[in-house]
Amino acid sequence: MTTNNGHSTGADMGPEEIQAVIDRILASDEAAVAKTKAGTWEQAAAPTEKTWRSRALALSDGDETSDADGDQQDLAERRALRRVAGLSTELEDVTEVEYRQLRLERVVLAGLWSEGTAQDAENSLQELAALAETAGSEVLDGIVQRRLKPDPGTFLGSGKAQELKDIVQATGADTVIVDSELSPSQRRGLEDIVKVKVIDRTALILDIFAQHAKSREGKAQVELAQLEYLLPRLRGWGESMSRQAGGQVGSAGAGMGSRGPGETKIELDRRKIRTRMAKLRREIAAMKPARETKRSNRRRNQVPSVAIAGYTNAGKSSLLNRLTDAGVLVENALFATLDPTIRRTETPDGIGYTLADTVGFVRSLPTQLIEAFRSTLEEVADSDLILHVVDASHPDPEGQIAAVRAVLTEVEARNVPEIIVLNKADAADPFVIERLRQREPRSVVVSARTGAGLTELRQLISTSIPRPGVKLDLMVPYEHGEIVSRLHEEDAEILGMEHVDEGTRLEVMVREGLAAELEPYVRHE
């Protein structure tokens, strides 16, 4: 029996034919589901829909390390403690208790477009998504509101806050991250509406710093910044923050020992925080002399210093690894490395200098972090040259350059000579690179991953750092061969050398300090 459209019915089909139809139906269903998921992903990632499910554009795809980055044992240690997506703390069966893991926080992003273009606002929210993912959360959605200035009560305004609440309920999010710094009243007002935890951009960055700080000084600096942020935002909850009640409680609800204005619990907490902050400042100040001693030794030996600065995830650590084989941790994440690393290297013609990797910068870097890390950022201000690393593949490299220079101005480092290093040339648009080179004449294009352009960079560093400036004509007797050996070190440059009967004749360029030591061997004609 056949139907009107010519297809056989189940009664006329054998077992093999029935199984083939079932397999075909299942395959089409799987394809439809895959297509639906792909469509949802594309829609979520489209900036015009104001949603940001995909990785932020600040993060590049592909492998994160190269052969020049070394073994990366620190990276393996960090990844051994990552949280897992899709797992929950809520148990369906008590037998699952042995396998329970903490699930990722599910977040919704919210931002204001008050100045600049719509693309600037989208780039800022893309960066916030990258920060949220680095902190260990899953970004579900995001909204941008066009508004001249934030609402003093709820930041977004009552209508948009209600819309945000609907998005939170629809997506099942448990956290809202605002792309700005909220006042305590704005945070409370927004939480009262959306009914989930609300944090701002500053708290998110501080959380990332707390996760990635490894050294004793770095941990102290991050804790100080967190306490400075927390102090004006302490909140009390009913009786737990009420006045102290000592002794018997009387009919008036107070009792002996608590009459008068008393001291509230929140005041006690504030005092404890101020005491802890004072202790941390003393500890950080006590660590400063050791760093200054090392810096003064370099100054005394007149060793040029070069600082690598730039936007977070621009490739500063990768560049340091390429130039010095430092083996510093490299990860495709924002603020992956916080602790400064200093390595010694030399120019192609043998002049020694130091390279210092510094903490990355970001738009609206919290002032608490700038103050807490000021001692670390002094390395940039005291350097002889700054390698300003820029991610040329980023959607807004000019914005990154402006943000970094704003921080350099705050730490009084804008007068230091600067070289713009346009990194990630292998992933960047050639037209963008050319546009940046037109805007920044003193620039060089490199790829820390492939090693392209590093020869040109080394040559530019060689001509930019302070070089030996005193020219001497020396005659060194053969019995003083240690002098010739000394002149082969990194702080001297041999222009010519000849062996004659009296000894070794050398024409050298040296620094002033060494020139005084070599005075007995100077030829006077």
Side-chain angles (χ1 to χ4, degrees):
M1 177 178 179
T2 57
T3 59
N4 293 333
N5 55 11
H7 293 290
S8 299
T9 63
D12 299 329
M13 299 173 63
E16 295 181 356
E17 294 177 328
I18 294 175
Q19 185 62 41
V21 172
I22 293 174
D23 292 341
R24 188 167 61 252
I25 293 173
L26 292 176
S28 62
D29 287 344
E30 291 177 357
V33 170
K35 184 177 180 181
T36 302
K37 289 184 177 179
T40 304
W41 181 274
E42 293 171 0
Q43 181 181 5
T48 55
E49 296 293 332
K50 301 294 187 296
T51 53
W52 286 265
R53 277 181 181 267
S54 60
R55 293 290 304 251
L57 294 177
L59 304 181
S60 59
D61 296 329
D63 296 334
E64 301 165 3
T65 61
S66 66
D67 294 339
D69 292 320
D71 294 336
Q72 293 293 302
Q73 295 179 353
D74 291 341
L75 181 59
E77 178 184 350
R78 176 176 291 180
R79 289 183 172 176
L81 298 174
R82 292 179 73 89
R83 286 179 284 184
V84 182
L87 298 177
S88 173
T89 55
E90 299 173 359
L91 303 180
E92 296 179 359
D93 186 355
V94 71
T95 58
E96 298 176 10
V97 69
E98 295 296 330
Y99 309 100
R100 180 173 55 186
Q101 297 191 47
L102 181 65
R103 68 175 173 82
L104 299 175
E105 285 185 272
R106 298 161 60 84
V107 303
V108 173
L109 312 179
L112 283 187
W113 172 21
S114 56
E115 59 183 12
T117 64
Q119 187 61 46
D120 293 336
E122 291 167 4
N123 289 339
S124 182
L125 215 63
Q126 290 279 6
E127 183 176 274
L128 187 68
L131 288 168
E133 290 181 353
T134 301
S137 59
E138 179 184 1
V139 179
L140 302 177
D141 209 338
I143 61 171
V144 174
Q145 182 186 19
R146 179 69 164 128
R147 190 182 179 95
L148 293 179
K149 59 181 181 179
D151 182 82
T154 59
F155 184 77
L156 292 175
S158 57
K160 187 61 68 172
Q162 189 62 43
E163 181 182 335
L164 180 62
K165 176 185 178 182
D166 297 338
I167 294 175
V168 167
Q169 292 177 343
T171 58
D174 50 36
T175 305
V176 170
I177 304 178
V178 177
D179 191 20
S180 182
E181 184 167 344
L182 298 177
S183 67
S185 60
Q186 286 174 329
R187 180 182 172 186
R188 285 196 302 270
L190 195 55
E191 279 186 346
D192 290 341
I193 295 177
V194 299
K195 305 300 182 183
V196 296
K197 179 176 68 175
V198 175
I199 64 172
D200 57 15
R201 182 187 181 93
T202 301
L204 178 61
I205 294 176
L206 290 173
D207 182 78
I208 297 172
F209 271 59
Q211 293 182 48
H212 292 177
K214 292 187 64 177
S215 68
R216 179 168 168 260
E217 183 176 11
K219 291 178 180 178
Q221 289 169 329
V222 172
E223 184 181 355
L224 177 60
Q226 286 180 316
L227 292 177
E228 287 180 347
Y229 173 81
L230 176 64
L231 185 60
R233 292 171 172 81
L234 281 181
R235 295 184 353 184
W237 298 97
E239 290 297 321
S240 65
M241 293 292 184
S242 64
R243 296 173 183 171
Q244 297 171 334
Q248 256 183 331
V249 177
S251 59
M256 295 179 294
S258 62
R259 294 185 178 91
E263 186 176 27
T264 60
K265 177 69 165 54
I266 196 170
E267 289 168 346
L268 289 172
D269 290 341
R270 284 173 179 158
R271 181 144 47 88
K272 289 178 182 178
I273 290 177
R274 292 190 183 99
T275 302
R276 178 61 179 165
M277 288 169 59
K279 182 181 179 182
L280 288 171
R281 288 193 178 99
R282 289 194 299 269
E283 290 179 357
I284 294 172
M287 302 172 196
K288 189 175 180 180
R291 188 171 50 254
E292 287 184 341
T293 300
K294 296 177 183 178
R295 197 180 301 148
S296 63
N297 287 337
R298 294 198 296 268
R299 289 200 197 101
R300 184 170 60 252
N301 296 327
Q302 296 181 324
V303 179
S305 61
V306 179
I308 302 177
Y311 214 78
T312 180
N313 203 42
K316 299 182 296 299
S317 298
S318 299
L319 185 63
L320 178 70
N321 290 339
R322 275 286 180 183
L323 295 175
T324 66
D325 298 325
V328 175
L329 182 144
V330 171
E331 186 178 14
N332 188 24
L334 278 65
F335 298 114
T337 50
L338 301 180
D339 301 316
T341 303
I342 300 177
R343 293 291 185 269
R344 192 179 182 99
T345 185
E346 60 182 39
T347 62
D349 54 353
I351 302 299
Y353 64 97
T354 60
L355 262 177
D357 183 19
T358 61
V359 64
F361 304 145
V362 74
R363 286 185 184 89
S364 306
L365 188 67
T367 55
Q368 297 93 339
L369 283 173
I370 296 177
E371 289 302 318
F373 279 79
R374 185 170 292 276
S375 56
T376 300
L377 296 175
E378 286 174 359
E379 205 67 54
V380 181
D382 291 342
S383 62
D384 298 303
L385 177 68
I386 295 176
L387 297 185
H388 182 166
V389 183
V390 180
D391 180 2
S393 64
H394 191 269
D396 184 23
E398 288 89 353
Q400 288 193 347
I401 294 174
V404 171
R405 285 176 172 167
V407 178
L408 293 178
T409 301
E410 290 193 46
V411 298
E412 301 176 355
R414 284 295 290 128
N415 294 327
V416 181
E418 177 188 48
I419 296 176
I420 298 292
V421 182
L422 301 176
N423 192 23
K424 305 186 183 180
D426 54 322
D429 186 343
F431 293 102
V432 174
I433 292 178
E434 186 59 32
R435 185 184 74 211
L436 292 171
R437 298 204 71 171
Q438 293 292 331
R439 293 172 59 95
E440 303 290 343
R442 200 158 186 255
S443 61
V444 59
V445 180
V446 305
S447 172
R449 176 180 295 180
T450 64
L454 292 180
T455 301
E456 182 184 353
L457 175 61
R458 289 189 177 98
Q459 290 291 345
L460 191 55
I461 294 174
S462 177
T463 58
S464 302
I465 61 175
R467 301 180 66 87
V470 180
K471 187 175 182 179
L472 296 178
D473 190 1
L474 305 176
M475 177 62 72
V476 181
Y478 288 121
E479 59 267 21
H480 294 291
E482 73 278 1
I483 300 298
V484 179
S485 178
R486 173 70 179 83
L487 292 172
H488 278 86
E489 294 183 5
E490 299 170 347
D491 57 346
E493 183 178 1
I494 299 178
L495 303 178
M497 183 171 62
E498 181 184 5
H499 297 288
V500 296
D501 295 339
E502 297 84 357
T504 304
R505 182 179 176 182
L506 301 106
E507 186 177 355
V508 296
M509 297 291 293
V510 297
R511 304 190 190 278
E512 294 181 1
L514 183 57
E517 300 177 20
L518 298 174
E519 184 61 31
Y521 306 101
V522 175
R523 293 179 70 249
H524 299 284
E525 296 181 355

